[in-house]
Amino acid sequence: QLQVVESGGGLVQPGGSLRLSCAASGFTLDYYAVGWFRQAPGGEREGIICISRGTDIYEGSVKGRSTISRDSAAGTVHLWMNSLKPSDTAVYYCAAGRYCELMNGDIDPNGMDYWGKGTLVTVSS
């Protein structure tokens, strides 16, 4: 069974930073584009950032405060965010697929084929 699993969510202080991790079972993330998305309570899903099958990075809705990296040895992809605000509170999703593409400043979710169940990040003091 092909699955993507996120980890690293939790409570973060305003102004703090986070690192979320994405791992896959049944396939290797190295051969896929990997994107991070989020959905705030009552909000729409938005695409944060995406890394192509190579090393091209596409910044979406959190431009300037997010980075993405591959750890090929561990088979994982990490999302890093800094200067967190309460408005960053959301369920964060990792997805793997065929390509990364920007669409109106957002990461196009149509390039993703496998989605995780999400991990909750709460930014609060």
Side-chain angles (χ1 to χ4, degrees), residues 6-47:
E6 307 90 345
S7 61
L11 179 64
V12 184
Q13 297 266 346
S17 60
L18 65 78
R19 186 189 83 161
L20 301 180
S21 298
C22 179
S25 63
F27 64 103
T28 302
L29 288 178
D30 280 359
Y31 303 117
Y32 289 79
V34 178
W36 283 95
F37 300 77
R38 70 181 181 182
Q39 188 165 14
E44 295 185 356
R45 181 179 58 193
E46 56 180 357

Side-chain angles (χ1 to χ4, degrees), residues 21 72 75 80 109:
S21 298
S72 296
W80 308 78

Side-chain angles (χ1 to χ4, degrees), residues 20 34-40 43-51 57-68 79-81 88 90-95 99-112 115:
L20 301 180
V34 178
W36 283 95
F37 300 77
R38 70 181 181 182
Q39 188 165 14
E44 295 185 356
R45 181 179 58 193
E46 56 180 357
I48 302 168
I49 196 166
C50 190
I51 186 166
I57 294 174
Y58 299 73
E59 291 185 84
S61 63
V62 192
K63 197 169 186 177
R65 294 196 294 123
S66 62
T67 58
I68 189 170
L79 168 69
W80 308 78
M81 285 182 58
D88 291 314
V91 178
Y92 284 71
Y93 299 91
C94 175
Y99 61 87
C100 299
E101 189 168 300
L102 278 173
M103 186 171 65
N104 297 323
D106 200 356
I107 303 297
D108 183 359
N110 292 314
M112 302 290 114
W115 291 81

